[in-house]
Amino acid sequence: MGGSLIELINVSKRFPGVLALDRVSMRIEVSEVHALLGENGAGKSTLGKILFGVYAPDEGVIKVRGREVRIPSPRHAMKLGIAMVSQRPQLVEDLTVWENLVLGLGKDLRRDLYRTIDEVSRELGIELDLDKPVWSLSYTEKQMVSLVKSLAVNPCLLIMDEVTTYLPNNVRSRLYEFVKKFVENGRSVLFITHRIREALEIADRVTVLRKGRVVATYNRGVDIDSVRRAMFGDRYWNGFGTHEKTVALGNMVLTVSSLTVLGDHGEEKVRGVSFDVREGEILAITGIAGNGQRELAEALIGLRRVARGRITFMGIDITRYPPSKRVSMGMGFVPDDVAKMSVSLEMNVYENMALRLGTTRFDALAKVFESYVHEIPVYTPSPKVPLKVLSGGNLQKIAIIKELASQCKLLIACNPTRMLDEASAHRVRNVLRNVAKRGAVIVFTEDVEEALGLGTRIAVMNRGTIFGPYHREEIDVAKIEELMVS
Ligand SMILES: Nc1ncnc2c1ncn2[C@@H]1O[C@H](COP(=O)(O)OP(=O)(O)O)[C@@H](O)[C@H]1O
Ligand SMILES: [Mg+2]
C-alpha cells in the first residue's frame, strides 16, 4: 500500500441528544478497501457524510494526503476526489439516465463517462439504457446509475454507505469484485456496512465503530468472533440460538389458491401460486429478489390487485378487500421499503404508532413502545424526534414494533432483518417466533440461512412459481439454492 490517503484525528459530531462520533481517529490508506463496521446507530453514516461534506465535524482534523482540509460541501468533497454512494439512490426520477449522469458534471469529465458506463455495466453484468427515465428503472439499475455518477468525477476515495442492502445476491458478489478491482489503481474505498461477513469478505482492513467510538481496527484474516465481540461489546452473545421444538399447529389462518398477480408492467409476476398457513407457523419464502416476492406480498396485504385466484383469511374470502379492511381483520405488514410504505418520516415514534393503532392516548402508546424497545432496542435521541433523523435500521425496527403492537394475527414481513446488525436481527427473529405462538408469520427473505433458521416451513420462489412449502427437515441450503435458479 502507498501511504495514507485520508486521516481523521479526534473527529467528534454531536446531534441533539446524541454524540454520534466521539473523538474518532482512523486512517484510510491508498489502494485499500477499508470497511467501516458497526451496529445500527454506531455513527457510520455520520462519518461518511462528514468526509463527503454533508456535515461539518464539531471538533477534530481531517487530512487528505497529509494536508489538513475543510470539506464544507459535497462539491468541495468531489473537488478533493471524494465521492459517495448511499443506500438510497439520489437521482432525479423524471430525468433520463443520461440527463442524471451529466447533471452538474463538468464538460471535461463527460468524455470519460461512456468508458465508465461500459466498465460498470460489464463488471456488474447489467446493461443501462441511457434514454430511459430513471423512474422506470429497477432499484438495482438506479443504484448502478448512482455508482456511475459518483465514479464520473474520478474519485480517489469512494465512500459506499450500505449500498448492497437491497441488491440481489448475484449483483452483490459482482459488486464486491468491482470494488476489489477499483482499488488496484491507487484508489481507495471506504465500505460502510453493518454486515460482518460482508466486511470480512471485501476489506483489506476493518474499523469497528461502537456508539460513536473506534473500538478496533483489524487486518484481513481476523476471526469473526473477535469482530463480533468488538461490535457488540457486552451484548455479545453466542450464535443465533437454537430452534424451539416444533409448535403445535392450530387453525387455518390463510389460504392462497391459484393466485396470479401482475407486475408493474402488466406481466405475470406471480403465477398460480397456492399455499396455506396455520396458527403456530412461520412460513419463510426465499428466493432471488425480483422473482415475484414483492408482488405476492403486496397482493396478500391488498396493495396490489389479484388477477386470478383467491385469498382466504380466517375463513373469509378477502381477495377484493382493501388493505385497511385486511389490517382491521388482523393482518400486519412490514414492507421492504419501510420509509416509503410503512412509516411517516415527518412524524415521531408515537405519532406513527397512533396512526397504526388508531388511538391518540400518547401515555399509553409510550408504555407500549417501551415494552417493545425492551425486546428490540431502538436508538433514538428521543421518541419525539421525527423519524427522518433515524438510521435505516432503527426505522425498520420501529416499523416492526408498530405492527407487533397491533397484536396482528398474521404478520407479513418482507426482509425484516436486512437493515439490522446481527444482534438486532437476532432479537427480531425471536420476536417473530413469539408472534407465531399466537398467530402466524409469513416472512419473505433473500437470506437462505435466515429462511432455514426461522421458517417452520420453507418455500422457494422462482419466476413467479412457488416450490414447497417444505418442512425444515426436508430441505437444506443446497436444495434451496438449486430451486432458486432452476
Ligand atoms: N441529522 C441527524 N439529526 C439528529 N440525529 C442524528 C442525525 N443523523 C444521525 N443521527 C443520530 O446519530 C447516531 C448515529 O447515526 P448514524 O451515523 O446514522 O448511524 P449508522 O449509520 O451507524 O447506523 C444515531 O443515534 C442517529 O439517530
Ligand atoms: Mg447508516
Side-chain angles (χ1 to χ4, degrees):
M1 277 176 220
S4 104
L5 174 64
I6 306 277
E7 198 173 354
L8 287 93
I9 305 163
N10 287 323
V11 169
S12 296
K13 178 69 188 173
R14 182 180 294 281
F15 291 114
V18 55
L19 188 54
L21 293 177
D22 185 3
R23 287 161 292 159
V24 165
S25 295
M26 68 181 282
R27 251 192 2 247
I28 303 168
E29 310 275 341
V30 175
S31 267
E32 80 167 340
V33 181
H34 197 122
L36 185 62
L37 182 67
E39 61 179 327
N40 307 129
K44 307 179 297 291
S45 294
T46 303
L47 192 151
K49 287 175 185 167
I50 283 178
L51 284 179
F52 192 51
V54 178
Y55 298 142
D58 297 330
E59 282 161 42
V61 170
I62 299 169
K63 291 182 177 177
V64 176
R65 294 205 173 84
R67 262 200 23 238
E68 188 172 334
V69 294
R70 270 182 8 95
I71 315 176
S73 71
R75 220 161 48 85
H76 278 80
M78 287 190 270
K79 273 192 192 142
L80 288 166
I82 300 172
M84 181 160 174
V85 197
S86 309
Q87 193 173 51
R88 292 189 170 277
Q90 313 245 317
L91 303 168
V92 186
E93 296 270 321
D94 282 338
L95 296 184
T96 64
V97 171
W98 178 255
E99 287 164 342
N100 266 281
L101 288 175
V102 295
L103 196 68
L105 191 68
K107 285 230 159 54
D108 50 321
L109 293 169
R110 291 189 192 181
R111 256 184 316 119
D112 294 339
L113 205 46
Y114 285 107
R115 201 176 34 80
T116 310
I117 293 166
D118 278 349
E119 186 187 334
V120 174
S121 297
R122 199 174 50 243
E123 298 287 337
L124 300 189
I126 301 164
E127 284 296 323
L128 266 189
D129 183 343
L130 299 181
D131 297 325
K132 264 196 181 174
V134 159
W135 61 258
S136 70
L137 304 186
S138 70
Y139 173 83
T140 303
E141 290 165 334
K142 286 185 193 174
Q143 212 34 335
M144 208 173 123
V145 177
S146 310
L147 179 62
V148 171
K149 192 165 169 63
S150 58
L151 293 175
V153 299
N154 253 320
C156 55
L157 176 70
L158 178 63
I159 303 167
M160 305 177 93
D161 187 358
E162 309 269 16
V163 291
T164 61
T165 311
Y166 297 116
L167 295 180
N169 288 336
N170 58 331
V171 180
R172 193 179 287 168
S173 16
R174 295 185 79 142
L175 186 73
Y176 294 159
E177 293 313 307
F178 174 82
V179 166
K180 287 177 192 166
K181 262 196 199 161
F182 179 77
V183 300
E184 279 171 9
N185 306 313
R187 299 173 294 192
S188 306
V189 170
L190 180 65
F191 195 90
I192 298 176
T193 179
H194 65 273
R195 300 163 188 258
I196 301 179
R197 284 178 201 285
E198 178 171 83
L200 297 188
E201 153 143 19
I202 199 170
D204 299 300
R205 291 197 301 153
V206 180
T207 289
V208 178
L209 270 187
R210 188 166 82 229
K211 293 184 182 149
R213 292 190 184 168
V214 171
V215 287
T217 297
Y218 301 103
N219 290 322
R220 186 178 280 287
V222 61
D223 68 296
I224 196 162
D225 263 349
S226 315
V227 180
R228 252 190 209 127
R229 221 176 278 275
M231 205 166 144
F232 299 111
D234 46 13
R235 285 184 302 107
Y236 175 80
W237 85 108
N238 284 312
F240 284 96
T242 47
H243 264 295
E244 295 171 35
K245 284 274 160 277
T246 313
V247 267
L249 295 188
N251 296 328
M252 193 66 82
V253 175
L254 185 82
T255 310
V256 172
S257 327
S258 308
L259 199 69
T260 294
V261 182
L262 305 185
D264 293 340
H265 310 291
E267 74 285 26
E268 285 193 4
K269 287 297 279 189
V270 178
R271 302 161 183 249
V273 158
S274 301
F275 60 86
D276 54 40
V277 189
R278 288 175 177 273
E279 280 173 0
E281 277 198 307
I282 301 179
L283 173 63
I285 302 179
T286 187
I288 297 167
N291 277 280
Q293 297 95 318
R294 183 166 63 87
E295 289 78 6
L296 174 56
E298 289 177 2
L300 293 181
I301 192 66
L303 289 169
R304 190 174 284 265
R305 224 176 59 82
V306 167
R308 287 188 297 281
R310 189 168 46 202
I311 308 170
T312 311
F313 178 56
M314 313 290 289
I316 298 168
D317 181 347
I318 60 159
T319 315
R320 302 280 164 228
Y321 283 13
S324 55
K325 196 154 178 192
R326 301 185 199 206
V327 165
S328 65
M329 289 172 70
M331 281 189 159
F333 185 55
V334 179
D336 242 332
D337 191 339
V338 298
K340 230 181 190 164
M341 294 172 65
S342 172
V343 295
S344 161
L345 297 181
E346 300 300 328
M347 294 191 205
N348 68 34
V349 168
Y350 299 150
E351 290 161 343
N352 268 286
M353 289 188 58
L355 269 189
R356 175 65 172 91
L357 303 179
T359 166
T360 46
R361 291 189 41 225
F362 284 92
D363 48 339
L365 289 171
K367 275 216 185 86
V368 172
F369 182 66
E370 286 311 316
S371 69
Y372 284 103
V373 166
H374 197 66
E375 292 181 69
I376 309 175
V378 177
Y379 302 106
T380 63
S382 137
K384 294 191 177 158
V385 299
L387 299 193
K388 64 184 171 198
V389 309
L390 302 185
S391 69
N394 282 312
L395 279 186
Q396 194 166 34
K397 292 183 211 167
I398 288 165
I400 294 168
I401 288 176
K402 195 164 64 75
E403 297 308 301
L404 295 175
S406 79
Q407 298 286 321
C408 52
K409 187 82 186 158
L410 171 67
L411 180 61
I412 301 162
C414 304
N415 293 297
T417 66
R418 79 158 132 204
M419 316 257 281
L420 305 183
D421 57 76
E422 277 188 11
S424 299
H426 177 65
R427 298 286 192 99
V428 164
R429 291 188 193 108
N430 277 341
V431 162
L432 295 181
R433 291 185 182 108
N434 286 336
V435 173
K437 285 182 187 156
R438 58 172 169 77
V441 176
I442 299 176
V443 58
F444 289 85
T445 175
E446 283 157 50
D447 180 342
V448 174
E449 309 238 338
E450 177 168 80
L452 275 169
L454 192 56
T456 51
R457 287 192 300 155
I458 295 119
V460 181
M461 223 173 157
N462 183 353
R463 281 178 284 168
T465 306
I466 270 198
F467 296 97
Y470 301 96
H471 287 281
R472 195 188 298 139
E473 302 74 33
E474 299 172 316
I475 198 162
D476 56 23
V477 174
K479 180 152 182 213
I480 291 178
E481 286 179 346
E482 193 186 310
L483 294 171
M484 274 166 55
V485 295
S486 64

